[in-house]
């Protein structure tokens, strides 16, 4: 049973709502029993997209094992694994209501291109396939592990996640694209938050719109011989500036243990797996 005092779902140490009235999801601000009942009533189906291209296949097993423990437990989940190496991925059998779907896709030489092309592939599969199979998409990096609950509290029309390196930084420190020649350009006096490229989602039509926008802007830049400073993350930040997310996930949902843990961070639900960038990205 949950507390009947509505004021108990309040935090005073963190921002709980944006100036456009989107909730920011922190531990202690929601009641998961109420939310689970709502989403069970709708028989919600969730797609978790993840890319394991080239050497990044090594991260997949731990990713799925930990997700089975913590991600949307009790709900229907399709893991959509985009890979160029389907043979490297063994048969993964999961309990009823949950399954792994392997999607064979091309790989690109440069890691920046691999990262950016995710937008195009999520867009294309959203239209062809995901729209028929799931209600919401959650799109994340693979070099991660779940270490605490991530449930339906994250779901909404379109959501982004506060980057763990910038949640407390002032706007002038955000690493937005600052060159006017790029479509990802954000003027110095604009921008709300710095969102992470490795965690966004929403309903399938909303994710389609987001990924279509980011991919097209990236192609325009490519034609003009420019690539945004932080690749897909820069285009995502531009999208969210003018199409505000309806929900924002706190850094509880995307953490890196390389950062000092602030007092108000009560849970670390999804954390980066340390990697040797050079070794894993460039081969
Ligand atoms: N990625 C790959 N293979 C690569 C580079 C990147 O699959 O060679 C995907 C992974 O899903 C990774 C994400 O988590 O792009 C973002 O790249 P990174 O910034 O984690 O290296």
């Amino acid at each position: 049973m949950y507390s009947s005092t509505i004021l108990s779902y309040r935090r005073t140490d963190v921002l709980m709502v944006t100036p456009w009235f989107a909730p920011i999801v922190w531990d202690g601000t929601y009641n998961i029993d109420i939310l689970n009942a709502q989403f069970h009533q709708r028989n919600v189906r969730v797609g978790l997209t993840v890319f394991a291209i080239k050497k990044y296949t090594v991260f997949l097993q731990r990713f799925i094992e930990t997700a089975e423990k913590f991600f949307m437990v009790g709900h229907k989940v399709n893991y959509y694994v985009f890979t160029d190496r389907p043979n490297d991925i063994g048969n993964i059998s999961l309990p009823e209501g949950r399954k792994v779907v392997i999607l064979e896709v091309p790989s690109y030489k440069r890691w920046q291109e691999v990262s950016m092309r995710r937008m195009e592939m999520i867009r294309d599969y959203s239209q062809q396939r995901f729209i028929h199979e799931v209600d919401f998409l959650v799109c994340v990096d693979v070099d991660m592990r779940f270490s605490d609950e991530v449930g339906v509290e994250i779901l909404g029309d379109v959501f982004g996640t506060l980057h763990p390196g910038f949640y407390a930084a002032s706007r002038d420190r955000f690493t937005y694209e600052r060159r006017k020649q790029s479509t990802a350009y954000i003027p110095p006096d604009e921008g709300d938050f710095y969102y992470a490229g490795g965690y966004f989602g929403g309903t399938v039509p909303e994710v389609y719109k987001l990924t279509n926008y980011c991919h097209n802007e990236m192609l325009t830049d490519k034609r003009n011989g420019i690539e945004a400073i932080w690749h897909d993350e820069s285009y995502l930040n531009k999208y969210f500036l003018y199409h505000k997310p309806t929900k924002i996930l706190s850094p509880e949902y995307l953490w890196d243990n390389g950062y000092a843990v602030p007092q108000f961070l009560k849970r670390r639900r999804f954390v980066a797996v340390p990697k040797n960038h050079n070794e894993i990205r460039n081969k």
Side-chain angles (χ1 to χ4, degrees):
M1 222 18 220
Y2 49 86
S3 161
S4 57
T5 319
I6 200 69
L7 291 178
S8 63
Y9 299 108
R10 179 181 55 175
R11 292 272 300 261
T12 50
D13 55 344
V14 288
L15 186 67
M16 271 186 61
V17 66
T18 68
W20 58 94
F21 291 127
I24 307 179
V25 188
W26 298 91
D27 183 48
T29 63
Y30 59 89
N31 182 297
I32 195 62
D33 299 328
I34 299 175
L35 292 172
N36 272 332
Q38 282 185 332
F39 283 86
H40 277 305
Q41 226 163 36
R42 295 168 60 179
N43 198 18
V44 71
R45 300 161 303 169
V46 181
L48 181 60
T49 72
V50 76
F51 286 71
I53 308 280
K54 295 190 273 190
K55 281 195 169 181
Y56 280 62
T57 51
V58 298
F59 296 110
L60 197 58
Q61 190 174 345
R62 176 171 32 195
F63 177 91
I64 292 178
E65 272 173 20
T66 57
E68 278 300 287
K69 262 198 182 143
F70 294 116
F71 184 76
M72 302 284 165
V73 174
H75 294 278
K76 294 200 177 78
V77 172
N78 285 357
Y79 296 92
Y80 293 117
V81 177
F82 293 76
T83 186
D84 58 331
R85 299 180 178 182
N87 296 332
D88 284 11
I89 299 165
N91 234 341
I92 308 170
S93 64
L94 299 180
E96 205 189 322
R98 304 177 69 101
K99 66 176 175 210
V100 175
V101 178
I102 307 285
L103 304 170
E104 189 170 356
V105 291
S107 95
Y108 291 88
K109 198 161 176 290
R110 295 170 54 245
W111 64 265
Q112 296 91 336
E113 187 89 15
V114 172
S115 186
M116 286 194 299
R117 288 284 173 174
R118 292 184 293 176
M119 293 294 187
E120 177 182 29
M121 296 184 211
I122 294 171
R123 176 195 71 180
D124 292 347
Y125 275 91
S126 290
Q127 198 172 37
Q128 291 162 23
R129 178 162 189 165
F130 302 156
I131 190 72
H132 306 297
E133 298 184 354
V134 292
D135 305 300
F136 293 95
L137 289 169
V138 179
C139 308
V140 297
D141 282 357
V142 73
D143 48 340
M144 304 289 299
R145 64 182 166 84
F146 290 86
S147 50
D148 203 343
E149 291 157 356
V150 175
V152 294
E153 76 278 4
I154 71 170
L155 302 177
D157 278 355
V158 58
F159 62 86
T161 304
L162 300 182
H163 192 294
F166 298 95
Y167 60 86
S170 59
R171 179 193 272 163
D172 57 313
R173 304 294 302 275
F174 293 166
T175 53
Y176 292 148
E177 175 55 68
R178 299 300 190 187
R179 292 168 298 173
K180 287 193 173 148
Q181 302 87 319
S182 168
T183 57
Y185 170 70
I186 294 181
D189 58 345
E190 293 188 51
D192 309 295
F193 300 105
Y194 191 77
Y195 302 97
Y199 205 139
F200 62 88
T203 61
V204 181
E206 284 296 329
V207 170
Y208 175 86
K209 279 194 260 175
L210 180 159
T211 51
N212 187 43
Y213 173 97
C214 292
H215 180 60
N216 286 334
E217 298 293 75
M218 187 270 282
L219 286 186
T220 302
D221 273 6
K222 202 185 256 304
R223 278 194 298 273
N224 294 327
I226 190 166
E227 185 172 277
I229 177 167
W230 287 106
H231 327 112
D232 39 307
E233 185 167 88
S234 304
Y235 300 104
L236 180 72
N237 272 280
K238 181 67 177 279
Y239 183 78
F240 279 152
L241 176 56
Y242 301 125
H243 312 79
K244 307 266 193 236
T246 59
K247 191 176 264 190
I248 294 184
L249 309 186
S250 71
E252 292 173 13
Y253 291 88
L254 182 55
W255 191 251
D256 185 322
N257 283 328
Y259 296 116
V261 179
Q263 255 263 302
F264 55 79
L265 198 83
K266 308 288 184 211
R267 304 171 84 165
R268 282 173 274 168
R269 305 169 190 260
F270 188 53
V271 298
V273 172
K275 64 178 192 274
N276 177 334
H277 284 77
N278 239 341
E279 170 60 24
I280 197 101
R281 274 177 170 165
N282 296 329
K283 303 266 160 78

